Short mmCIF file of all heavy atoms in Angstrom, two decimals:
data_model
loop_
_atom_site.label_atom_id
_atom_site.label_comp_id
_atom_site.label_asym_id
_atom_site.label_seq_id
_atom_site.Cartn_x
_atom_site.Cartn_y
_atom_site.Cartn_z
N MET A 683 13.65 -39.27 123.46
CA MET A 683 14.57 -40.16 124.16
C MET A 683 14.65 -41.46 123.38
O MET A 683 13.65 -41.98 122.88
CB MET A 683 14.07 -40.41 125.59
CG MET A 683 14.99 -41.25 126.44
SD MET A 683 14.49 -41.22 128.19
CE MET A 683 12.76 -41.65 128.09
N SER A 684 15.86 -41.99 123.28
CA SER A 684 16.06 -43.23 122.53
C SER A 684 15.56 -44.43 123.33
O SER A 684 15.32 -44.35 124.53
CB SER A 684 17.56 -43.42 122.23
OG SER A 684 18.26 -43.78 123.42
N GLU A 685 15.45 -45.53 122.61
CA GLU A 685 15.27 -46.81 123.28
C GLU A 685 16.58 -47.21 123.95
O GLU A 685 17.64 -46.62 123.69
CB GLU A 685 14.83 -47.88 122.28
CG GLU A 685 13.49 -47.63 121.63
CD GLU A 685 12.37 -47.59 122.65
OE1 GLU A 685 12.41 -48.38 123.63
OE2 GLU A 685 11.44 -46.77 122.48
N ILE A 686 16.54 -48.20 124.81
CA ILE A 686 17.77 -48.70 125.43
C ILE A 686 18.63 -49.38 124.37
O ILE A 686 18.11 -50.14 123.54
CB ILE A 686 17.42 -49.69 126.56
CG1 ILE A 686 16.61 -48.98 127.65
CG2 ILE A 686 18.68 -50.31 127.16
CD1 ILE A 686 15.96 -49.92 128.64
N PHE A 687 19.93 -49.11 124.38
CA PHE A 687 20.82 -49.79 123.44
C PHE A 687 22.13 -50.13 124.14
O PHE A 687 22.47 -49.56 125.17
CB PHE A 687 21.07 -48.94 122.19
CG PHE A 687 21.73 -47.62 122.43
CD1 PHE A 687 23.10 -47.47 122.24
CD2 PHE A 687 20.99 -46.51 122.82
CE1 PHE A 687 23.72 -46.24 122.45
CE2 PHE A 687 21.60 -45.28 123.03
CZ PHE A 687 22.97 -45.15 122.84
N ARG A 688 22.86 -51.05 123.53
CA ARG A 688 24.06 -51.61 124.16
C ARG A 688 25.30 -51.22 123.38
O ARG A 688 25.31 -51.25 122.13
CB ARG A 688 23.95 -53.14 124.22
CG ARG A 688 25.17 -53.88 124.77
CD ARG A 688 25.22 -53.84 126.28
NE ARG A 688 26.42 -54.47 126.79
CZ ARG A 688 26.52 -55.75 127.17
NH1 ARG A 688 25.46 -56.55 127.07
NH2 ARG A 688 27.65 -56.23 127.65
N THR A 689 26.35 -50.81 124.06
CA THR A 689 27.67 -50.65 123.46
C THR A 689 28.65 -51.45 124.31
O THR A 689 28.26 -52.11 125.28
CB THR A 689 28.14 -49.18 123.43
OG1 THR A 689 28.47 -48.76 124.76
CG2 THR A 689 27.06 -48.27 122.85
N ARG A 690 29.92 -51.37 123.98
CA ARG A 690 30.90 -52.11 124.76
C ARG A 690 31.05 -51.58 126.17
O ARG A 690 31.62 -52.23 127.04
CB ARG A 690 32.27 -52.13 124.06
CG ARG A 690 32.95 -50.77 123.97
CD ARG A 690 34.33 -50.94 123.34
NE ARG A 690 35.10 -49.72 123.29
CZ ARG A 690 35.09 -48.87 122.29
NH1 ARG A 690 34.30 -49.12 121.24
NH2 ARG A 690 35.83 -47.78 122.31
N PHE A 691 30.51 -50.39 126.43
CA PHE A 691 30.58 -49.81 127.77
C PHE A 691 29.43 -50.25 128.66
O PHE A 691 29.53 -50.19 129.89
CB PHE A 691 30.58 -48.27 127.68
CG PHE A 691 31.75 -47.73 126.93
CD1 PHE A 691 31.59 -47.20 125.66
CD2 PHE A 691 33.04 -47.75 127.47
CE1 PHE A 691 32.67 -46.71 124.94
CE2 PHE A 691 34.12 -47.26 126.78
CZ PHE A 691 33.94 -46.74 125.50
N GLY A 692 28.34 -50.63 128.05
CA GLY A 692 27.18 -51.04 128.83
C GLY A 692 25.90 -50.61 128.14
O GLY A 692 25.86 -50.50 126.90
N TYR A 693 24.86 -50.34 128.96
CA TYR A 693 23.56 -49.93 128.40
C TYR A 693 23.43 -48.41 128.47
O TYR A 693 23.84 -47.77 129.44
CB TYR A 693 22.42 -50.57 129.18
CG TYR A 693 22.27 -52.06 128.93
CD1 TYR A 693 22.65 -52.99 129.89
CD2 TYR A 693 21.76 -52.52 127.72
CE1 TYR A 693 22.53 -54.36 129.65
CE2 TYR A 693 21.63 -53.89 127.48
CZ TYR A 693 22.02 -54.79 128.45
OH TYR A 693 21.88 -56.14 128.21
N HIS A 694 22.82 -47.85 127.43
CA HIS A 694 22.65 -46.40 127.34
C HIS A 694 21.19 -46.05 127.03
O HIS A 694 20.48 -46.81 126.37
CB HIS A 694 23.47 -45.79 126.18
CG HIS A 694 24.91 -46.07 126.21
ND1 HIS A 694 25.86 -45.17 126.62
CD2 HIS A 694 25.60 -47.19 125.84
CE1 HIS A 694 27.07 -45.70 126.50
NE2 HIS A 694 26.94 -46.93 126.02
N VAL A 695 20.83 -44.86 127.47
CA VAL A 695 19.66 -44.16 126.96
C VAL A 695 20.14 -42.75 126.65
O VAL A 695 20.88 -42.16 127.46
CB VAL A 695 18.51 -44.12 127.98
CG1 VAL A 695 17.41 -43.16 127.50
CG2 VAL A 695 17.94 -45.51 128.20
N LEU A 696 19.76 -42.20 125.49
CA LEU A 696 20.19 -40.84 125.20
C LEU A 696 18.99 -39.97 124.86
O LEU A 696 17.95 -40.46 124.43
CB LEU A 696 21.25 -40.80 124.10
CG LEU A 696 20.90 -41.22 122.66
CD1 LEU A 696 20.23 -40.09 121.89
CD2 LEU A 696 22.18 -41.64 121.93
N GLN A 697 19.18 -38.70 125.06
CA GLN A 697 18.16 -37.71 124.76
C GLN A 697 18.79 -36.67 123.84
O GLN A 697 19.86 -36.13 124.13
CB GLN A 697 17.67 -37.04 126.04
CG GLN A 697 16.49 -36.09 125.84
CD GLN A 697 16.02 -35.52 127.16
OE1 GLN A 697 16.76 -34.76 127.79
NE2 GLN A 697 14.82 -35.89 127.60
N VAL A 698 18.16 -36.44 122.68
CA VAL A 698 18.67 -35.48 121.70
C VAL A 698 18.00 -34.14 121.94
O VAL A 698 16.78 -34.03 121.90
CB VAL A 698 18.42 -35.96 120.27
CG1 VAL A 698 18.84 -34.89 119.26
CG2 VAL A 698 19.21 -37.24 120.01
N HIS A 699 18.80 -33.10 122.21
CA HIS A 699 18.28 -31.77 122.49
C HIS A 699 18.12 -30.95 121.22
O HIS A 699 17.16 -30.19 121.09
CB HIS A 699 19.20 -31.03 123.45
CG HIS A 699 19.50 -31.78 124.70
ND1 HIS A 699 18.52 -32.22 125.56
CD2 HIS A 699 20.68 -32.20 125.24
CE1 HIS A 699 19.07 -32.86 126.58
NE2 HIS A 699 20.39 -32.87 126.40
N SER A 700 19.09 -31.05 120.32
CA SER A 700 19.01 -30.25 119.10
C SER A 700 19.85 -30.90 118.01
O SER A 700 20.72 -31.73 118.28
CB SER A 700 19.51 -28.82 119.35
OG SER A 700 20.89 -28.82 119.68
N ARG A 701 19.55 -30.49 116.79
CA ARG A 701 20.28 -31.02 115.64
C ARG A 701 20.21 -29.98 114.55
O ARG A 701 19.12 -29.47 114.22
CB ARG A 701 19.65 -32.34 115.18
CG ARG A 701 20.30 -32.95 113.96
CD ARG A 701 19.72 -34.33 113.72
NE ARG A 701 20.19 -34.94 112.51
CZ ARG A 701 19.95 -36.20 112.14
NH1 ARG A 701 19.20 -36.97 112.94
NH2 ARG A 701 20.42 -36.67 111.01
N GLY A 702 21.35 -29.61 114.00
CA GLY A 702 21.35 -28.56 112.97
C GLY A 702 22.61 -28.58 112.16
O GLY A 702 23.49 -29.43 112.35
N ASP A 703 22.70 -27.62 111.24
CA ASP A 703 23.89 -27.54 110.39
C ASP A 703 25.14 -27.34 111.22
O ASP A 703 25.14 -26.62 112.22
CB ASP A 703 23.75 -26.37 109.40
CG ASP A 703 22.65 -26.62 108.37
OD1 ASP A 703 22.26 -27.78 108.21
OD2 ASP A 703 22.20 -25.64 107.74
N ARG A 704 26.19 -27.97 110.80
CA ARG A 704 27.46 -27.89 111.52
C ARG A 704 28.04 -26.48 111.43
O ARG A 704 28.01 -25.84 110.39
CB ARG A 704 28.44 -28.88 110.91
CG ARG A 704 29.86 -28.78 111.42
CD ARG A 704 30.76 -29.72 110.65
NE ARG A 704 32.17 -29.41 110.84
CZ ARG A 704 33.15 -29.94 110.14
NH1 ARG A 704 32.86 -30.80 109.18
NH2 ARG A 704 34.41 -29.62 110.37
N SER A 705 28.57 -26.02 112.54
CA SER A 705 29.27 -24.73 112.56
C SER A 705 30.64 -24.92 111.93
O SER A 705 31.29 -25.95 112.11
CB SER A 705 29.45 -24.24 114.00
OG SER A 705 28.21 -24.13 114.66
N PRO A 706 31.12 -23.93 111.16
CA PRO A 706 32.47 -24.07 110.58
C PRO A 706 33.53 -24.06 111.67
O PRO A 706 33.31 -23.53 112.77
CB PRO A 706 32.59 -22.85 109.67
CG PRO A 706 31.64 -21.85 110.25
CD PRO A 706 30.50 -22.64 110.81
N ASP A 707 34.66 -24.64 111.39
CA ASP A 707 35.78 -24.56 112.31
C ASP A 707 36.24 -23.11 112.42
O ASP A 707 36.08 -22.31 111.47
CB ASP A 707 36.95 -25.41 111.82
CG ASP A 707 36.68 -26.91 111.95
OD1 ASP A 707 35.59 -27.27 112.45
OD2 ASP A 707 37.53 -27.70 111.53
N ILE A 708 36.79 -22.77 113.55
CA ILE A 708 37.32 -21.43 113.75
C ILE A 708 38.78 -21.51 114.18
O ILE A 708 39.21 -22.53 114.71
CB ILE A 708 36.51 -20.62 114.79
CG1 ILE A 708 36.53 -21.32 116.15
CG2 ILE A 708 35.08 -20.40 114.31
CD1 ILE A 708 35.85 -20.52 117.27
N ARG A 709 39.51 -20.44 113.90
CA ARG A 709 40.90 -20.33 114.36
C ARG A 709 40.94 -19.25 115.42
O ARG A 709 40.43 -18.14 115.21
CB ARG A 709 41.82 -19.99 113.21
CG ARG A 709 43.31 -19.97 113.57
CD ARG A 709 44.18 -19.95 112.32
NE ARG A 709 44.02 -18.71 111.58
CZ ARG A 709 44.75 -17.61 111.77
NH1 ARG A 709 45.70 -17.60 112.71
NH2 ARG A 709 44.55 -16.54 111.04
N ALA A 710 41.50 -19.59 116.56
CA ALA A 710 41.50 -18.65 117.68
C ALA A 710 42.84 -18.70 118.42
O ALA A 710 43.62 -19.64 118.27
CB ALA A 710 40.36 -18.97 118.65
N ALA A 711 43.05 -17.67 119.21
CA ALA A 711 44.21 -17.62 120.11
C ALA A 711 43.67 -17.34 121.51
O ALA A 711 42.56 -16.82 121.67
CB ALA A 711 45.18 -16.52 119.68
N HIS A 712 44.46 -17.72 122.51
CA HIS A 712 44.00 -17.44 123.87
C HIS A 712 45.18 -17.09 124.77
O HIS A 712 46.33 -17.42 124.47
CB HIS A 712 43.19 -18.61 124.44
CG HIS A 712 44.02 -19.72 125.00
ND1 HIS A 712 43.72 -20.36 126.19
CD2 HIS A 712 45.17 -20.32 124.55
CE1 HIS A 712 44.61 -21.30 126.43
NE2 HIS A 712 45.48 -21.30 125.47
N ILE A 713 44.84 -16.43 125.85
CA ILE A 713 45.77 -16.19 126.94
C ILE A 713 45.18 -16.90 128.16
O ILE A 713 44.05 -16.64 128.54
CB ILE A 713 45.95 -14.70 127.23
CG1 ILE A 713 46.52 -13.98 125.99
CG2 ILE A 713 46.85 -14.46 128.44
CD1 ILE A 713 46.49 -12.46 126.10
N LEU A 714 45.95 -17.82 128.73
CA LEU A 714 45.49 -18.58 129.89
C LEU A 714 46.20 -18.10 131.15
O LEU A 714 47.43 -18.02 131.17
CB LEU A 714 45.73 -20.07 129.69
CG LEU A 714 45.54 -20.96 130.93
CD1 LEU A 714 44.08 -21.00 131.35
CD2 LEU A 714 46.07 -22.37 130.67
N ILE A 715 45.43 -17.79 132.16
CA ILE A 715 45.97 -17.53 133.48
C ILE A 715 45.44 -18.63 134.39
O ILE A 715 44.24 -18.70 134.68
CB ILE A 715 45.56 -16.15 134.02
CG1 ILE A 715 45.98 -15.04 133.04
CG2 ILE A 715 46.14 -15.91 135.40
CD1 ILE A 715 47.47 -14.99 132.78
N ARG A 716 46.33 -19.52 134.79
CA ARG A 716 45.89 -20.66 135.61
C ARG A 716 45.39 -20.15 136.96
O ARG A 716 45.93 -19.21 137.53
CB ARG A 716 47.02 -21.66 135.80
CG ARG A 716 47.45 -22.32 134.51
CD ARG A 716 48.28 -23.56 134.74
NE ARG A 716 48.69 -24.16 133.48
CZ ARG A 716 47.93 -24.99 132.77
NH1 ARG A 716 46.72 -25.30 133.22
NH2 ARG A 716 48.36 -25.50 131.63
N ALA A 717 44.36 -20.86 137.48
CA ALA A 717 43.77 -20.42 138.74
C ALA A 717 43.16 -21.61 139.45
O ALA A 717 42.63 -22.52 138.83
CB ALA A 717 42.70 -19.37 138.48
N THR A 718 43.28 -21.60 140.75
CA THR A 718 42.57 -22.54 141.62
C THR A 718 41.62 -21.72 142.49
O THR A 718 41.60 -20.48 142.44
CB THR A 718 43.55 -23.32 142.50
OG1 THR A 718 44.21 -22.40 143.39
CG2 THR A 718 44.59 -24.04 141.66
N GLU A 719 40.86 -22.40 143.30
CA GLU A 719 39.95 -21.67 144.19
C GLU A 719 40.71 -20.75 145.14
O GLU A 719 40.23 -19.68 145.52
CB GLU A 719 39.11 -22.67 144.99
CG GLU A 719 38.15 -23.49 144.14
CD GLU A 719 37.14 -22.63 143.40
OE1 GLU A 719 36.77 -21.56 143.93
OE2 GLU A 719 36.72 -23.01 142.29
N ASP A 720 41.94 -21.13 145.49
CA ASP A 720 42.71 -20.36 146.46
C ASP A 720 43.32 -19.08 145.88
O ASP A 720 43.62 -18.13 146.63
CB ASP A 720 43.84 -21.22 147.05
CG ASP A 720 43.28 -22.40 147.85
OD1 ASP A 720 42.15 -22.28 148.36
OD2 ASP A 720 43.98 -23.42 147.95
#
Side-chain angles (χ1 to χ4, degrees):
M683 184 169 51
S684 73
E685 296 298 323
I686 298 167
F687 62 98
R688 176 79 183 266
T689 73
R690 67 176 184 269
F691 299 107
Y693 288 107
H694 305 257
V695 170
L696 66 82
Q697 187 178 66
V698 174
H699 307 303
S700 65
R701 178 172 175 173
D703 292 342
R704 172 185 165 190
S705 303
D707 289 358
I708 60 175
R709 184 167 66 90
H712 82 137
I713 299 170
L714 169 66
I715 303 301
R716 295 196 181 277
T718 65
E719 294 299 329
D720 295 334

